[in-house]
Amino acid sequence: MSASPLRPEIDYFSLSDIDKGQENMLAHVLKNSAKGDIDSVIKAIDDYCWTTNWMMNVGDRKGLILEDAIRKWQPKSVLELGTFCGYSSLRIVSQLPDDARFITIEMNPLSAAVAAQLHEHAGVTSRITLVVGSTDNVIPTLSERFGIQSFDLIFIDHWKEVYLRDLQLLEQMTLIVNGTVVVADNVITPGAPDYLAYIRNNPNYESIFHEAMLEYTDTHKDGVEISIRK
C-alpha cells in the first residue's frame, strides 16, 4: 500500500501497527474534540486517520454509505460485528432514534476499551451495548441474553475470513429475517470473495454494490455490499 505523504507507510495486515495507533488516536480525540459532541468526535478520528496514522475504520467516505443505509431503512435493532475503536458505532448511533437497540461485538479487549472511552466521550454509552468476545461465541447467545428475536440491520466489518461463517450463523439462529439489511465493508480490499459469492448468488438476498476507495486512502479501490433478505 502506498502511503500518504502526510503519514508513514502502514501495512493493512500488520496488527502491531493497528494496535499501536489506538491509544494515540484516543489521546488525540480526547484532546481535539468536544465532550458530548458526536460529530466533533467523528471528525477528530477522521483527521487523525488522514494526517497521522492510518486505521481500519470504515472511514469518512464509506461511513456516509453506512449512514445513508440507516436513514433509508430506519432500523430499530442493529448488530455490528467488529467494533474496533468505536468509530463506526458512532456513525451508526448518530443516525438511530433514542429507542433503537444497538449491539456491537468486539473480540479484542484493547479495542473494546478504546471504543468504550470514545462512546463515553461522545455521550452515547447508554445507547450502545458493547459485548467483548468472539462473534462465533457471542452470536448464539444474543437472543437469550438480550431478548433479541432478529435484527433490522447488521453491519459486518470484522475479520474478512469469517464474514460468510458469521452470516450463516446469524441465519441459523434466525437473527436474519425477511427485510433484514446486511451491510458489509471491505468486500474488495482486503476482500471477502466467499461472502460475495454466497450472498450474490443466493435467491434469498437482493444485493447492491457501492464502489468506494479504501478508508483513508486515494489509491486502493474497495466497496460496500448492501444486501436485503427477501
Side-chain angles (χ1 to χ4, degrees):
M1 176 181 296
S2 61
S4 161
L6 297 177
R7 64 186 188 279
E9 179 73 25
I10 295 296
D11 180 356
Y12 186 93
F13 300 97
S14 172
L15 289 180
S16 61
D17 282 338
I18 290 169
D19 282 345
K20 198 186 313 178
Q22 293 186 74
E23 292 184 355
N24 291 337
M25 181 274 292
L26 176 62
H28 171 89
V29 173
L30 295 179
K31 180 180 179 181
N32 294 282
S33 64
K35 186 174 177 62
D37 185 339
I38 192 169
D39 292 331
S40 173
V41 174
I42 290 171
K43 182 180 184 303
I45 298 171
D46 285 331
D47 289 345
Y48 177 85
C49 294
W50 272 111
T51 65
T52 303
N53 188 45
W54 181 90
M55 298 185 76
M56 57 180 185
N57 304 312
V58 67
D60 47 356
R61 294 172 297 195
K62 289 184 294 176
L64 295 178
I65 299 172
L66 175 60
E67 290 184 356
D68 286 346
I70 295 168
R71 285 193 296 268
K72 179 177 180 179
W73 281 286
Q74 300 180 6
K76 287 298 188 74
S77 56
V78 177
L79 174 66
E80 177 181 45
L81 305 183
T83 318
F84 190 45
C85 293
Y87 174 87
S88 49
S89 299
L90 295 177
R91 282 199 171 269
I92 291 170
V93 79
S94 73
Q95 304 302 314
L96 292 176
D98 289 343
D99 62 346
R101 190 69 182 273
F102 179 25
I103 298 172
T104 181
I105 304 171
E106 174 55 47
M107 183 174 70
N108 184 336
L110 171 62
S111 296
V114 171
Q117 291 179 76
L118 287 177
H119 294 165
E120 191 278 331
H121 183 65
V124 295
T125 298
S126 64
R127 300 176 58 198
I128 302 174
T129 300
L130 174 57
V131 181
V132 181
S134 62
T135 49
D136 57 328
N137 288 331
V138 174
I139 288 171
T141 72
L142 290 174
S143 291
E144 182 175 354
R145 186 173 175 183
F146 298 107
I148 294 285
Q149 300 306 310
S150 63
F151 288 97
D152 297 331
L153 186 142
I154 298 168
F155 179 51
I156 306 178
D157 193 20
H158 57 335
W159 292 104
K160 316 314 164 189
E161 295 84 355
V162 298
Y163 274 27
L164 178 57
R165 181 201 71 186
D166 285 350
L167 178 77
Q168 292 176 327
L169 182 56
L170 288 162
E171 292 174 334
Q172 178 186 337
M173 303 305 299
T174 67
L175 292 167
I176 292 176
V177 297
N178 294 349
T180 297
V181 179
V182 183
V183 181
D185 187 26
N186 295 131
V187 294
I188 302 301
T189 304
D194 58 343
Y195 173 87
L196 287 182
Y198 174 83
I199 208 156
R200 289 177 176 178
N201 293 287
N202 190 321
N204 293 317
Y205 292 95
E206 179 178 337
S207 293
I208 301 173
F209 175 68
H210 296 261
E211 185 175 359
M213 301 303 290
L214 181 68
E215 52 268 23
Y216 310 118
T217 76
D218 293 317
T219 56
H220 287 66
K221 290 185 177 181
D222 192 18
V224 176
E225 188 86 358
I226 299 181
S227 309
I228 307 166
R229 178 81 177 198
K230 298 179 183 177

